[in-house]
């Protein structure tokens, strides 16, 4: 039977209340124990975070096995991302209303079941359909995990808990390509999805045994249906525009039609939220400068990180010719620094507050992105590893600190909405980073490729051939036609890789500039008020 308790309202900051042992009221033995709760939610979060990158490695095998087109394979990723991004804030509200324990468990079961269904699918349409369901159930799971941590941990331990939570996300995200490469190469593409079934079963068992239901005494009792519709529509139009812009073109009427519809949707949503009795997102949340700064910081961090890292995978595999497994191994310095740095960042933020660690983290991220702009075709593993390690070191305090700033500065009864905001900011930032930096890359390649091609003394191309070659070069692929003489093929490869490097360099510099802006935003943050007042009051 589900244990239900009513928590005292803790105000705008800090974690849940605890007794002298550091456990939440109603906790008995394993049930409700903070550290076991952290382990439980980490298992569920690991499943979702891993799926964000592990599937990319399986896409070529899925395309070949199911006879899918490139556009259809893209929707394996786009369908998942679209469902996740649109649903996160509403899913957080569901957790605030019905309890984060129930929402987490439903998310775990649904995500694992959808994963198993994908593994059994024999058509690309079914794969994409169940990927959408994965996104919807993942959206239930992620904000609920943060809501459970917020309610279970006392204020002065919340940073450390979020640090370990961030470590799990970082390690799972970066480790996805390695595990995916091993599974696809030695088992099958279906195994990439089947692996979520036992992981989900473990998270379910742990959740039933350990998780304690937490309800704020003034939790929402009704749903803002129109608000949900307006916000979901606005988010859909924004994400859809970002997904389709590379295909339609940034200056295309369709792109700006969806961007305009998104802007209108957000305006109407904001107006409606001032009138409804129980709004989906009370706009008074954004009166908190630290919370608003945390959301902006999360978006900027994701633009720099996900946008910059998008090109690194092409650089490693298509320019250096590495296998997916080797490429994943070369990213281990990034993963390792996130694993080591996240809990340390949590401890540092607990001691110093978030401002200095967040600003320092984004400054290190800016340096790392600048360093990545200097990578060449023949750059060695040692120098690459240095910049990847610095990137992981810079991201760790930002992932932890910005999350705590957002969740810790929201009232307890809105912890799920705050968790949804944090995840939505990261997803939107990642999409913006990939789209905007992708546009920077495309523009640079389109500008440089014709001149580089001519300077190399290669045969002239028709406008159609230039367009096809440009698309290939944007992902580091040399457009060498079959039967081309070896000497000509080497020249084409040299031109393609040099042009790709120039585009990646410019995109990395833009990402570094975004990180510098984020340094300034970081100085507007502060820890939750109760975390400030209660530091050192309890021990786990």
């Amino acid at each position: 039977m589900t244990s239900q308790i009513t928590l005292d309202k803790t105000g705008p900051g800090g974690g849940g209340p605890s007794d002298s042992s550091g456990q939440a009221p109603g906790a008995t033995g394993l049930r409700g124990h903070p550290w076991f709760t952290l382990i439980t939610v980490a298992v569920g979060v690991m499943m979702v975070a891993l799926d964000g990158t592990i599937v990319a490695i399986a896409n070529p095998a899925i395309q070949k096995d199911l006879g899918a087109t490139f556009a259809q394979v893209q929707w394996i990723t786009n369908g998942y991302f679209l469902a996740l991004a649109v649903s996160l804030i509403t899913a957080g509200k569901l957790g605030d209303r019905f309890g984060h324990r129930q929402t987490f468990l439903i998310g775990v079961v649904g995500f694992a079941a959808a994963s198993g269904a994908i593994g059994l699918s024999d058509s690309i349409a079914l794969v994409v359909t169940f990927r959408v369901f994965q996104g919807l159930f993942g959206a239930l799971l992620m904000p609920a995990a943060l809501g459970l941590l917020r309610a279970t941990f006392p204020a002065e331990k919340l940073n450390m808990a979020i640090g370990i939570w961030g470590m799990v996300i970082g390690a799972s995200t970066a480790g996805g390509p390695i595990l995916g490469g091993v599974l696809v190469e030695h088992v099958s593409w279906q195994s990439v999805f089947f692996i979520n079934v036992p992981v989900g079963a473990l998270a379910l068992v742990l959740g039933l045994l350990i998780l304690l239901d937490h309800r704020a005494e003034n939790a929402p009792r009704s749903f803002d249906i129109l608000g949900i519709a307006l916000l979901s529509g606005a988010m859909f139009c924004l994400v859809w525009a970002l997904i389709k812009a590379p295909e339609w073109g940034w200056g295309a009427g369709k792109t700006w039609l969806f961007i305009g519809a998104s802007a209108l949707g957000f305006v109407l949503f904001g107006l409606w939220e001032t009138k409804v009795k129980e709004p989906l997102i009370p706009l008074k949340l954004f009166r908190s400068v630290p919370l608003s700064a945390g959301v902006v910081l999360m978006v900027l961090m994701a633009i720099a990180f996900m946008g910059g890292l998008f090109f690194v995978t092409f650089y490693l595999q298509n320019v250096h010719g590495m296998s997916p497994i080797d490429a994943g191994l070369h990213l281990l310095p990034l993963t390792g620094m996130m694993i080591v740095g996240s809990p340390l960042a949590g401890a540092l933020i607990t001691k110093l507050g978030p401002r200095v660690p967040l600003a320092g983290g984004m400054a290190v991220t800016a340096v790392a992105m600048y360093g990545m702009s200097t990578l060449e075709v023949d750059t060695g593993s040692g120098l690459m590893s240095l910049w990847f390690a610095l990137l992981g070191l810079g991201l760790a305090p930002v992932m932890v600190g910005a999350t705590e700033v957002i969740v810790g500065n929201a009232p307890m009864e809105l912890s799920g909405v705050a968790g949804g905001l944090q995840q939505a900011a990261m997803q939107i930032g990642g999409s913006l980073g990939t789209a905007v930096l992708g546009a920077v890359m495309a523009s640079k390649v389109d500008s440089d490729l014709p001149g580089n091609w001519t300077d190399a003394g290669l045969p002239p191309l028709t406008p159609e051939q230039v367009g096809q070659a440009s698309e290939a070069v944007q992902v580091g692929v040399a457009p060498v036609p079959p039967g081309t003489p070896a000497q000509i093929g080497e020249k084409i490869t040299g031109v393609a890789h040099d042009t790709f490097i120039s585009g990646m360099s410019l995109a990395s510099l833009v990402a570094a500039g975004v990180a510098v802006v984020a340094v300034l935003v970081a100085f507007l943050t502060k820890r939750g008020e109760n975390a400030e007042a209660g530091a050192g009051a309890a021990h786990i």
Side-chain angles (χ1 to χ4, degrees):
M1 179 178 292
T2 301
S3 257
Q4 296 192 358
I5 63 171
T6 300
L7 297 180
D8 296 328
K9 185 178 178 183
T10 61
S18 61
D19 60 21
S20 60
S21 69
Q23 294 197 192
T28 55
L30 288 179
R31 185 173 291 277
H33 190 284
W35 293 111
F36 287 118
T37 297
L38 175 58
I39 292 171
T40 301
V41 300
V43 173
V45 165
M46 176 183 68
M47 181 172 62
V48 179
L50 194 65
D51 230 58
T53 54
I54 194 174
V55 176
I57 300 298
N59 281 344
I62 296 173
Q63 182 179 19
K64 182 178 180 180
D65 189 34
L66 299 181
T69 65
F70 179 69
Q72 288 173 326
V73 170
Q74 282 184 308
W75 276 104
I76 295 175
T77 299
N78 290 343
Y80 173 79
F81 171 74
L82 196 60
L84 184 68
V86 168
S87 308
L88 277 164
I89 295 174
T90 301
K93 191 74 169 185
L94 287 170
D96 290 335
R97 171 65 179 85
F98 296 109
H100 297 301
R101 178 181 186 268
Q102 288 85 336
T103 309
F104 180 84
L105 294 178
I106 291 171
V108 164
V109 171
F111 194 92
S115 299
I118 293 172
L120 297 173
S121 298
D122 59 1
S123 72
I124 192 68
L126 286 175
V127 171
V128 172
T129 298
F130 287 118
R131 279 289 279 171
V132 169
F133 279 106
Q134 270 192 321
L136 293 173
F137 285 111
L140 286 174
L141 193 158
M142 296 292 274
L146 279 172
L148 285 164
L149 294 182
R150 166 73 191 277
T152 304
F153 276 84
E156 75 285 353
K157 294 292 184 180
L158 184 60
N159 283 319
M160 180 63 72
I162 292 178
I164 297 172
W165 179 86
M167 176 190 72
V168 171
I169 289 181
S172 301
T173 301
I178 303 173
L179 180 59
V182 171
L183 289 174
V184 171
E185 190 172 323
H186 297 290
V187 188
S188 67
W189 69 260
Q190 288 91 342
S191 63
V192 167
F193 298 99
F194 284 141
I195 195 173
N196 288 331
V197 176
V199 175
L202 175 62
L204 175 62
V205 171
L206 290 174
L208 291 172
L209 293 175
I210 292 170
L211 297 182
L212 182 66
D213 189 28
H214 298 272
R215 306 284 181 93
E217 64 178 11
N218 51 349
R221 298 299 173 191
S222 63
F223 278 101
D224 176 14
I225 302 299
L226 181 57
I228 290 173
L230 288 171
L231 180 63
S232 298
M235 290 283 284
F236 176 87
C237 289
L238 175 60
V239 176
W240 184 265
L242 294 174
I243 287 173
K244 301 296 285 185
E247 176 187 335
W248 291 341
W250 281 97
K254 286 190 289 187
T255 301
W256 286 99
L257 176 64
F258 276 96
I259 291 175
S262 173
L264 178 61
F266 281 122
V267 169
L268 292 175
F269 172 74
L271 292 173
W272 172 250
E273 293 300 274
T274 63
K275 303 179 182 299
V276 68
K277 182 179 180 182
E278 286 200 14
L280 176 62
I281 305 177
L283 297 186
K284 65 181 180 182
L285 267 182
F286 296 102
R287 294 176 188 167
S288 167
V289 173
L291 184 145
S292 299
V295 172
V296 173
L297 189 62
M298 189 63 73
V299 171
L300 296 176
M301 182 275 293
I303 289 174
F305 172 42
M306 297 185 186
L309 203 60
F310 177 75
F311 298 109
V312 170
T313 56
F314 294 123
Y315 170 74
L316 294 175
Q317 293 187 49
N318 295 338
V319 176
H320 277 270
M322 297 180 188
S323 68
I325 296 176
D326 286 340
L329 290 173
H330 272 75
L331 289 172
L332 277 178
L334 188 155
T335 313
M337 290 308 297
M338 290 192 74
I339 291 173
V340 173
S342 293
L344 292 178
L348 188 64
I349 291 167
T350 298
K351 185 175 182 180
L352 301 178
R355 286 177 183 166
V356 173
L358 282 173
M362 287 313 306
V364 172
T365 299
V367 171
M369 295 309 303
Y370 174 79
M372 288 167 63
S373 76
T374 67
L375 295 177
E376 300 288 348
V377 174
D378 56 354
T379 299
S381 297
L383 188 56
M384 281 191 280
S385 297
L386 170 64
W387 300 126
F388 295 159
L390 274 179
L391 184 59
L393 181 65
L395 290 171
V398 182
M399 185 79 74
V400 175
T403 300
E404 194 281 332
V405 165
I406 295 169
V407 177
N409 279 284
M412 179 67 74
E413 68 271 15
L414 294 175
S415 59
V417 168
L421 269 176
Q422 182 268 346
Q423 286 294 309
M426 179 174 283
Q427 297 295 334
I428 293 297
S431 181
L432 274 170
T434 303
V436 172
L437 297 186
V440 170
M441 164 67 85
S443 176
K444 183 65 172 174
V445 169
D446 288 344
S447 172
D448 290 1
L449 182 60
N452 292 346
W453 191 278
T454 301
D455 292 344
L458 292 167
L461 299 175
T462 66
E464 183 181 358
Q465 288 174 325
V466 170
Q468 293 172 347
S470 179
E471 288 184 10
V473 172
Q474 287 170 28
V475 292
V477 173
V480 181
T484 301
Q487 187 176 5
I488 300 296
E490 288 177 7
K491 284 187 177 182
I492 293 175
T493 300
V495 167
H497 289 172
D498 287 342
T499 306
F500 172 84
I501 290 295
S502 68
M504 186 179 79
S505 177
L506 181 58
S508 297
L509 286 174
V510 172
V514 171
V516 170
V517 173
V519 172
L520 303 178
V521 176
F523 285 108
L524 298 175
T525 63
K526 69 174 184 177
R527 74 175 97 208
E529 291 180 14
N530 276 20
E532 194 76 57
H539 300 280
I540 292 178

